[in-house]
Amino acid sequence: MTAPRHPDALTAPRHVDVLVVGAGPAGLAAAARLAAAGAGRVEVLEREARPGGVPRHCAHGGFGTWTHPLTGPGYARLLTQAAERAGATVRTGVTALDWAPDGPVLTAVGPGGPETVTARAVVLATGARERPRPARLVPGTRPAGVYTTGELQQAVHLFGQHIGTRAVVVGAADVSYAAADTVRAAGAEVVALVTEHPRAQTGRARARAALLRHGVPLLTGTTVTALLGHGRLSGVRVRHRDGRTTVLPCDTVVFTGDFVPDHELARRGGLTLDPGTRGPAVAGSLHTSRPGVFAAGNILHAVEPAGTAAREGARAAGAVLDFLAGAPWPAPGVPVTVAPPLRWIAPNRVTPDAPSVPHLLRTGVPLRRPVLYVRQDGRLLHHERLPTALPDRTLALGARWHHRVDPDGGEVRVSTG
C-alpha cells in the first residue's frame, strides 16, 4: 500500500516562466505565441475538462477566417493544437483559486490536489459569463428548464441532453439567435424571442430569416416579469410596453446576453477594475495594475467575438515577451471613460509607451451615425463619425489622438456630444 503524501508535498511551489489562466481563444493564442517565441516554460491552466473555451460548444459556423471558415469546436481544436505544437503545456481540470501576497504567484487545485505556481509573468484570460436568472432579478421558483446560452449549448452539443419541447429565448442579439438555433437543433420549438429593446440587436437579414424560415416571432418592447411552474417550468409572464401582461406557455426559457467578465481572480488579486467594463483596467499593452500580470480577451470587455479575443491574446504575449526581456513596468496611465448612452470602452487607459491600438466601445441605445468626441479637462482631442450603432454591437474608435493626451492631466472622456 502506498503511503499518503505529506500535505507539504502538495503545496510545494512549482516554477514556470509564464502562467496563462484560461484556455479559451485569448489564453491559447497567448500561449502559442509565447511558446513559439522561446519564452521558456509556458503553462495554461483550464478549469474545464477540455480546452477551447466557449467555442467548444458553439456548433454553428462563423469562426476562423473567410478563407478558412470553421465551426466553434473546429476553431477550439485549431487553437489548442497550435498552443501544444508550439510547446505550451495545457492542463485541464485545474482551477486557479487565489494569489500569494507578493509577486505573480497563484494557488490552484487540480486532480492532484492543491498546488502553488510561481511565474515570471501571468496572463489572465478567464473570459466572461452570462448573468443567470437570479442575477437579472426575475422572480419565480427554481423550476427545471431554465438556462443561459452557455448552459444550453453545453447540454445540447456536449452532453446530448433533452431540454424540453417549447422554449422562450430572452434577448434578440446575435447570441440569442444562436441560442434559438440550438433549441431547434435539440428538436424543440422556439415560442418567441423576447426583448425590451424596440428592435432586434442583430442584422435585419438574420432577424427576418428567423421569422420567415422558422416562424419565430420577435416580441419587442417586452420584458419577462416572472417564471411560472414548480417542478418544471410551465410558462413565463411577460409585460409589453403598453402595460399589458401575457403568459407564454413553455417548458424551457433561455436567458441570453448580459455578459459580465469572469473577474473573480482579478478582484482577489487586487487588480484595478474599470467601472465600465468591470474587468481589469488596461492600456494598449494589456498590462494590469499588478506588476507582472497581463489580461486579454473577454475578461476585459464582455463580450467580443472569439477572433478579437485571440488577437488580444497574441498582443498580450508580445507585451509579456518585452517584460521578460527587461522592459520596465509601465505607469498606470490616464483613465479613459465614457458618457451615457455609451456603456464602456476598452482599452481604458492611455500610457505614452503603450501601443496605439483602436478602442472598442458599446452603446446602451441605438445611435444613428454617432459622432464621438474625445476630451481631456475640457480640451477637445479628437472627434470621429462612426457607422450606425446598436446595443450589443461593437464600435471602434481610432487612436490617432493618443499623442495629444496630457499624461499629468485628468481623465479622458468619450461622449456623443
Side-chain angles (χ1 to χ4, degrees):
M1 181 175 178
T2 303
R5 297 170 67 185
H6 189 277
D8 288 344
L10 298 177
T11 56
R14 291 191 308 102
H15 299 275
V16 300
D17 291 286
V18 185
L19 183 66
V20 181
V21 184
L28 291 172
R33 182 176 178 186
L34 286 163
R41 180 174 174 80
V42 179
E43 185 170 291
V44 186
L45 304 184
E46 171 55 55
R47 64 188 177 190
E48 298 290 339
R50 295 176 60 189
V54 170
R56 288 184 308 120
H57 49 77
C58 294
H60 54 82
F63 296 85
T65 65
W66 288 106
T67 56
H68 191 193
L70 296 167
T71 64
Y75 186 67
R77 285 193 297 272
L78 183 70
L79 292 176
T80 302
Q81 291 168 359
E84 292 178 336
R85 287 173 180 169
T89 300
V90 181
R91 301 178 60 215
T92 57
V94 182
T95 302
L97 299 175
D98 209 342
W99 303 78
D102 299 308
V105 181
L106 281 165
T107 58
V109 63
E115 59 183 77
T116 302
V117 185
T118 300
R120 297 170 62 196
V122 171
V123 178
L124 293 182
T126 49
R129 53 183 170 79
E130 289 171 296
R131 293 203 305 162
R133 187 268 299 181
R136 303 177 193 228
L137 304 180
V138 178
T141 60
R142 293 176 178 255
V146 181
Y147 297 88
T148 62
T149 309
E151 292 169 342
L152 172 75
Q153 291 176 330
Q154 290 192 53
V156 174
H157 297 309
L158 295 187
F159 306 116
Q161 295 175 355
H162 177 70
I163 65 164
T165 59
R166 290 171 53 85
V168 169
V169 177
V170 182
D174 290 339
V175 66
S176 312
Y177 285 88
D181 291 341
T182 302
V183 168
R184 288 193 295 272
E189 174 191 358
V190 182
V191 175
L193 281 87
V194 177
T195 177
E196 62 186 359
H197 294 289
R199 56 167 291 185
Q201 281 72 64
T202 190
R204 292 183 184 274
R206 188 170 194 177
R208 188 177 298 114
L211 177 61
L212 297 180
R213 293 176 55 192
H214 305 290
V216 179
L218 172 63
L219 305 182
T220 59
T222 304
T223 305
V224 174
T225 59
L227 304 185
L228 308 177
H230 294 281
R232 175 84 193 189
L233 186 75
S234 62
V236 296
R237 181 176 290 113
V238 299
R239 183 177 62 248
H240 302 282
R241 67 166 62 91
D242 60 6
R244 293 180 299 111
T245 61
T246 307
V247 172
L248 302 178
C250 61
D251 56 14
T252 304
V253 62
V254 186
F255 288 94
T256 69
D258 198 3
F259 289 91
V260 293
D262 203 342
H263 63 198
E264 177 64 18
L265 193 60
R267 187 184 63 79
R268 293 188 67 86
L271 275 63
T272 299
L273 302 182
D274 179 76
T277 63
R278 290 178 283 183
V282 295
S285 59
L286 303 181
H287 68 277
T288 71
S289 60
R290 183 164 182 157
V293 179
F294 301 78
N298 282 321
I299 186 177
L300 301 177
H301 41 57
V303 61
E304 294 295 316
T308 300
R311 287 189 293 272
E312 286 186 350
R315 177 150 46 94
V320 171
L321 291 170
D322 290 341
F323 174 69
L324 296 180
W329 196 250
V334 177
V336 183
T337 63
V338 295
L342 300 175
R343 293 173 49 204
W344 55 255
I345 185 169
N348 32 57
R349 295 290 188 274
V350 173
T351 58
D353 50 355
S356 293
V357 299
H359 298 259
L360 305 179
L361 304 94
R362 290 288 179 99
T363 173
V365 300
L367 297 175
R368 183 173 178 79
R369 300 211 59 197
V371 178
L372 299 187
Y373 297 90
V374 183
R375 298 182 175 92
Q376 183 186 32
D377 299 330
R379 180 170 56 97
L380 181 64
L381 306 180
H382 178 71
H383 70 279
E384 183 174 338
R385 184 176 293 279
L386 300 179
T388 296
L390 296 174
D392 300 315
R393 304 299 289 269
T394 304
L395 292 170
L397 172 65
R400 295 189 299 272
W401 47 272
H402 281 191
H403 68 283
R404 300 181 180 176
V405 174
D406 179 0
D408 298 319
E411 70 176 23
V412 173
R413 187 80 161 168
V414 181
S415 67
T416 57

